[in-house]
Amino acid sequence: MCIVVMVTLVETSADILAVGEIIDTKVDSKRLGNGLRADMLSSMFAPIFGSFTQSAFAQNVGLVAVTGVKSRFVVATGGLFLVILGLLPFMGRVIAAVPTSVLGGAGIVLFGTVAASGIRTLSKVDYRNNMNLIIVATSIGFGMIPIAAPSFYDHFPNWFATIFHSGISSSAIMAILLNLAFNHFTAGNSDQQSVFVAGTERSLCFHEVAALRDGDYFRGGKLFDAGGKEIPLVADVPTRTAKAETSEV
């Protein structure tokens, strides 16, 4: 049960962050923690009413983006109406009478909106001279495994399959682990760029930047110092010639 709750928390975290992007509100650690605590508090009271563990759903995230309604009071009022309608048995027959094609069309829009929000979030990531491109690509790949091959984790331990069978939780876990490995736990890493980083963006070597002084700037392809005086640029000396000149000296 703890594993199921952990997967639920991961999915809820992603939904909270997506809602923050849609309504242009910064979601810090405090607000994210409050949302997770509210989710688990509702899960504690759910068995009293004969329900299961509560979780935020991506459909609701898409609904916020489509309608543009982001007031918490409107959401609370809608929840109250749902509670009242849940006590009326005939409402179940009304919902069941809705054609499947209508529900499918609404689902395409709602889930597509969630995907678009995720793309907008990823577009803000800095991919220059780092491993973020590999982190994002690998995380998305792991998230697609349960969709492309639903039986992929059948031979894994039950606890592992429960966690990684959800595309959201598997992507989130891989993104966190890879981000820690490549961007935080950097002790012992080589100062040379990997082939992935070198192939993404143009970069400068450290000795090239170290030759610049405070106030130097480029304009029109020319280098100037802080006083506006042009600094001449010379061609690089070939390695063999440089070694020969050094040996002669």
Side-chain angles (χ1 to χ4, degrees):
M1 187 61 186
C2 293
I3 297 177
V4 175
V5 171
M6 185 176 68
V7 174
T8 301
L9 291 176
V10 173
E11 295 181 355
T12 303
S13 300
D15 292 334
I16 294 174
L17 295 174
V19 171
E21 288 290 335
I22 292 174
I23 64 177
D24 295 327
T25 300
K26 182 180 179 181
V27 179
D28 53 11
S29 57
K30 181 179 180 181
R31 177 167 291 185
L32 181 60
N34 290 337
L36 296 178
R37 280 189 287 269
D39 192 5
M40 292 297 99
L41 182 62
S42 62
S43 298
M44 292 175 58
F45 288 99
I48 300 177
F49 300 94
S51 181
F52 299 98
T53 303
Q54 303 300 298
S55 175
F57 286 91
Q59 298 94 319
N60 297 329
V61 178
L63 191 62
V64 173
V66 171
T67 61
V69 178
K70 53 186 179 181
S71 172
R72 66 186 69 182
F73 300 103
V74 175
V75 175
T77 304
L80 180 61
F81 276 109
L82 290 177
V83 172
I84 297 175
L85 294 176
L87 301 176
L88 303 177
F90 73 90
M91 287 303 301
R93 294 192 293 270
V94 173
I95 299 301
V98 177
T100 306
S101 57
V102 175
L103 297 178
I108 290 176
V109 175
L110 296 180
F111 284 109
T113 304
V114 176
S117 300
I119 294 173
R120 183 172 63 176
T121 302
L122 292 176
S123 65
K124 299 179 181 179
V125 178
D126 183 13
Y127 296 99
R128 295 174 299 178
N129 300 329
N130 53 43
M131 294 292 290
N132 288 339
L133 180 63
I134 305 302
I135 295 173
V136 172
T138 306
S139 302
I140 294 177
F142 266 86
M144 294 296 294
I145 289 178
I147 301 175
S151 60
F152 183 84
Y153 295 110
D154 289 351
H155 300 288
F156 286 78
N158 292 333
W159 64 268
F160 188 92
T162 302
I163 296 176
F164 281 85
H165 193 69
S166 170
I168 297 177
S169 60
S170 59
S171 297
I173 292 174
M174 290 304 303
I176 293 173
L177 294 178
L178 292 177
N179 184 57
L180 291 175
F182 291 124
N183 294 332
H184 292 276
F185 300 149
T186 57
N189 289 356
S190 174
D191 57 353
Q192 301 297 323
Q193 292 183 337
S194 68
V195 63
F196 299 108
V197 177
T200 55
E201 293 287 345
R202 174 179 174 267
S203 60
L204 295 175
C205 297
F206 178 78
H207 68 86
E208 296 174 338
V209 179
L212 299 176
R213 297 181 180 179
D214 188 23
D216 291 347
Y217 62 94
F218 276 94
R219 177 181 296 175
K222 297 180 180 181
L223 179 62
F224 298 89
D225 59 13
K229 181 179 179 181
E230 181 180 355
I231 302 175
L233 301 177
V234 296
D236 293 335
V237 180
T239 304
R240 292 183 179 178
T241 306
K243 290 182 178 180
E245 292 178 353
T246 303
S247 60
E248 291 176 0
V249 174

